Each structure stands twice: as C-alpha cells, then as structure tokens.
Amino acid sequence: MKKMVKRVGGLLLLPALLAGCAGLNQEGTGETASAVQEPPAIAAQVKNPAAQITEPKQETEKEAKPAQTEVPKGDWVAYKGPVEHIFFHPLIAYPELAFDNDSMTKGYDDWFVTVKEFDHILEDLYKNQYVLISMDQLYEQKTVNGKKELVKKPLMLPKNKKPLVLSVDDMNYYDYMLQNGNVYKLILDEKGRVATYSLTPKGEKRIAYDNEIVPILDTFVSEHPDFSIDGAKGTIALTGYQGVLGYRTNELTSPAYQTEKADAIKVINRMKETGWSFASHGYGHRDAHKISYKSLVEDTERWKKEVEPLVGDTPIYIYPYGSRVDTDSDKYKYLVKAGFPVLCGVGPQPYLKYKSDSIMMDRRHIDGIALKTQGDKLKDLFDSKEVIDSVRPKGN
C-alpha cells in the first residue's frame, strides 16, 4: 500500500494506514520505547460535513438514562493484585462503510471494534467482576520540602471485584473517520446528556446513544452502578491537529472557531461531570520515541496551547502508537516536568510501575487484531471468540 503523508499546520503527519504490532514489548516492563501501531491521526483530507449541517431532530427510541454511579460500600477490602488497563478507538458505528473493501478496510478491521463487539465486551467485563476506576485512584501527588512527589494510593474495592481502567484514543473524529463508519461528533441533547451526531450510510442525520463508547458506557453504568467506583468511566486521549470530539478547534482563523470551541467545551465539561477524564495523546499524533527532543517539546507546547484550554489540566500522557520514551531520558524528564507524571504505553499484560515523580502504566489494545490473535491473553477479561462480530471481513 502506498503511504500517504500529509503536512498539516507545519506538522509532518503519519501514513494513512499502519500495519502490525511489530516491536511491541512482550514483557510489558522494558524501559526503552516499544511501539504498537494504531490507527494514525491522519488520512485523506475531506471536507467536514459535520460543520456544515444543522442538528437533526433527536431520536427517542433509545435514550441514555441520567447517571447513577454510586457503588454500595458493603465489605470493601484493600486490593493488592494487578490493575488492568484496556483501550479502544472510536467504535465502528456503520460497518457497511468501514468494511466496504476500500483502502481503509484492513485498517478498520485491524484497529477498531464494532458496536456489537463493545456491547458484548462490557457484559463480559461486568460478569467477570471487573469494576471501573479512574487513574487518579491509583496515586496522589504531594509536595515534600518544596518538591512534588507521587505516591501510591491504597486501592479499596468491594470484595471480589477487580479494577479496570478504560481509555479511548483519537476520539477527535478525524476527517477520514467521517466517511468510514465512525460517528461525526459528540453533542449534548436538550437534557444535557452526551449523544452522538452522524450521517447514516443513506445520508440521514442521526442523533443516537447506542453507537459510541461514551453514551453506551454512560447508559451501562447508569443501569449497573456497581460497575463503577465513585462514578468513574474512562479517559479520552486527544490529539489536536484536527480538533477534538468532532469540533474543528484547530482552525483558529475560521469564522466558526469560537462556536466550535464553545460547543466542544460544553460537551467536555459535561463529560467531566459524569466521570470522564482526558489525556494528552500529543498534538500531531507523533511518535515520541522517534522524533527529536525539540519536536516533542514543540508538539507538547502546541497541545497545551490549543487543547489544554478545552479539557483543562491533565496529568496523563498517552503515547501515540504506544511508543514510550526511555525512562529517565531527557524526553521523559521533560514530559514529567511539563505536567504529565502519568505516562501510558502499550503492553500485552498489566504493568504499573511507580517512581518518586511519575507512574508508568501499560494498556492492552482491544481491536480486531487482539480479538483474532490474542484470545488466550484476553480470556480473563472476555471470550474473544464469542465477541467477534460476524460482519467483519473474512480472511483478513
């Protein structure tokens, strides 16, 4: 496949589709970078139709209920075992667009999951006694003699429950996603609930609660409050070069910029109120291990300039491609000093390491590749054979 390289806002961005998990640290404990390839934050530029249309009439066939996230205290115990952290990309809402045998089909088959698969995974996680926690339930920051320190926080859980951190990468709704089966944006309905906006394959405008991770999980936790500790949902890892959550907040000179920014902030604030948090995924989705120190600084500063004002301060940096930098390298020290003491890579098993000033945590990628080839490693979480959607292309 020919590589497509695009330069946007002075940033050299990555090929439209990347292949394989070569270089993934199979031990999950290495100190050098190990990259897992995930869907890139760039593909062929298309005009953003979501910015050109009026909101449709709201669907009422399946509405998300208001969040009720209290967990009965019962007999809580100090948890001492491993902490699972799994991550997804935005869901395939319209498989007929994702799996239409074009040049993007294999990438979608490799790196995304369908709505049906995600729903099944949630049910299995709940059945297998997992419970959602936020990353800040794992640590606390203290100042000792004028120096910031990060210390492990005791994790108290209901008896027999196992902790689960969930994150979602690239919920920016890049231009390529708008024509390949993802929704267009997250919005608020008239009751203040998070919903999705999209065009169906027939070109019909749709507002829904059942075709993306955020509203699906909001509804699931509302119906199963014991699936969440203190209302925790998940962490959304955002880039910035094509805006956030479907709003083109990167177009600073656009006449629509102020409106796009204001609408994005409304959704973000509501998500934060209902148990979601945010992380930096780099501004341009650049490989932190491969790029120069100067480029990492420039990329991070641009994220802090354009995205941080929208999502607020966050201590979490989720490495693009899972490609972490060497521990105690200048890049690592820079990211911690820049305000990101929680750094997340990718690995095949739970990994959580505490340093005096930072945390390193690995995440497991849940996608087509994992469902097809890593079922034995995922069996404690869910049954991948039962999860796989029959709509997926055969033979990939």
Side-chain angles (χ1 to χ4, degrees):
M1 180 179 295
K2 293 182 179 179
K3 293 184 177 180
M4 297 172 61
V5 178
K6 193 83 172 180
R7 188 175 295 274
V8 178
L11 294 174
L12 184 62
L13 299 172
L14 297 164
L17 287 176
L18 300 171
C21 289
L24 178 62
N25 177 6
Q26 294 302 310
E27 300 299 324
T29 58
E31 302 300 344
T32 59
S34 55
V36 58
Q37 307 269 4
E38 65 183 51
I42 188 62
Q45 299 288 323
V46 296
K47 189 173 182 179
N48 179 9
Q52 311 296 324
I53 50 186
T54 57
E55 298 297 348
K57 183 178 180 180
Q58 175 191 332
E59 281 191 357
T60 58
E61 59 188 44
K62 182 178 180 182
E63 296 184 347
K65 299 177 182 178
Q68 300 172 1
T69 56
E70 290 187 8
V71 176
K73 295 301 180 182
D75 296 325
W76 287 41
V77 296
Y79 180 80
K80 302 293 185 181
V83 178
E84 290 281 1
H85 186 163
I86 62 175
F87 81 95
F88 301 84
H89 292 97
L91 298 183
I92 297 173
Y94 303 107
E96 59 268 53
L97 296 180
F99 303 139
D100 58 357
N101 296 316
D102 67 2
S103 63
M104 303 292 285
T105 293
K106 187 178 187 306
Y108 270 80
D109 191 33
D110 284 349
W111 307 117
F112 292 78
V113 302
T114 67
V115 169
K116 183 178 179 181
E117 289 169 342
F118 184 73
D119 286 342
H120 196 146
I121 288 169
L122 277 187
E123 293 289 351
D124 279 6
L125 291 170
Y126 182 66
K127 179 182 65 177
N128 290 330
Q129 299 297 306
Y130 284 95
V131 62
L132 292 170
I133 66 169
S134 61
M135 276 189 269
D136 62 10
Q137 289 170 310
L138 298 172
Y139 69 93
E140 58 184 327
Q141 291 178 295
K142 294 183 177 180
T143 301
V144 180
N145 297 324
K147 184 179 180 180
K148 288 185 177 180
E149 293 187 359
L150 191 149
V151 298
K152 184 176 181 179
K153 184 189 295 184
L155 181 59
M156 303 297 295
L157 296 180
K159 189 179 295 184
N160 299 321
K161 292 290 187 178
K162 297 173 285 188
L164 176 72
V165 177
L166 183 148
S167 55
V168 187
D169 286 5
D170 301 303
M171 194 169 273
N172 302 77
Y173 302 116
Y174 306 123
D175 289 345
Y176 79 86
M177 292 182 174
L178 308 185
Q179 56 188 359
N180 284 286
N182 301 104
V183 302
Y184 283 22
K185 63 167 70 174
L186 299 184
I187 64 170
L188 295 183
D189 69 9
E190 71 274 9
K191 295 182 180 179
R193 296 172 301 188
V194 178
T196 66
Y197 172 83
S198 62
L199 290 182
T200 70
K202 295 181 179 180
E204 299 169 344
K205 302 170 185 178
R206 184 180 184 222
I207 289 176
Y209 306 90
D210 61 356
N211 59 3
E212 183 55 288
I213 289 172
V214 173
I216 289 174
L217 194 54
D218 284 345
T219 300
F220 192 88
V221 171
S222 177
E223 295 172 349
H224 306 84
D226 57 331
F227 185 55
S228 172
I229 300 297
D230 296 331
K233 303 282 180 58
T235 297
I236 308 298
L238 295 174
T239 61
Y241 77 92
Q242 284 189 350
V244 301
L245 305 182
Y247 300 89
R248 293 304 182 250
T249 53
N250 59 304
E251 298 175 356
L252 306 183
T253 60
S254 167
Y257 171 72
Q258 291 299 333
T259 299
E260 291 282 288
K261 179 179 177 181
D263 288 347
I265 289 174
K266 289 177 184 177
V267 176
I268 288 165
N269 287 346
R270 181 57 180 161
M271 289 176 64
K272 291 165 75 172
E273 291 169 358
T274 54
W276 295 91
S277 60
F278 293 86
S280 173
H281 201 38
Y283 183 85
H285 203 275
R286 308 188 69 186
D287 188 318
H289 182 69
K290 292 182 178 179
I291 62 176
S292 68
Y293 176 89
K294 179 181 178 182
S295 294
L296 177 62
V297 171
E298 291 174 347
D299 184 79
T300 304
E301 288 181 346
R302 191 164 183 184
W303 190 93
K304 294 177 79 69
K305 180 181 178 180
E306 291 187 24
V307 184
E308 187 174 83
L310 307 176
V311 303
D313 292 337
T314 173
I316 306 166
Y317 188 93
I318 290 179
Y319 292 111
Y321 308 104
S323 183
R324 61 180 175 266
V325 302
D326 295 345
T327 305
D328 293 329
S329 66
D330 288 343
K331 290 180 181 178
Y332 187 95
K333 292 175 181 177
Y334 165 74
L335 288 171
V336 173
K337 187 176 180 180
F340 301 110
V342 182
L343 300 120
C344 298
V346 173
Q349 59 192 17
Y351 172 65
L352 180 60
K353 182 177 180 179
Y354 292 81
K355 292 171 56 68
S356 63
D357 62 352
S358 55
I359 288 177
M360 294 171 288
M361 190 175 201
D362 275 355
R363 310 179 301 152
R364 294 213 238 182
H365 58 104
I366 308 300
D367 47 33
I369 286 179
L371 294 180
K372 293 178 180 181
T373 68
Q374 299 174 14
D376 57 332
K377 295 179 181 178
L378 298 172
K379 62 184 178 181
D380 291 339
L381 296 164
F382 53 82
D383 185 341
S384 62
K385 292 182 180 179
E386 294 294 326
V387 165
I388 292 178
D389 195 333
S390 61
V391 75
R392 285 185 175 275
K394 303 299 187 290
N396 281 349

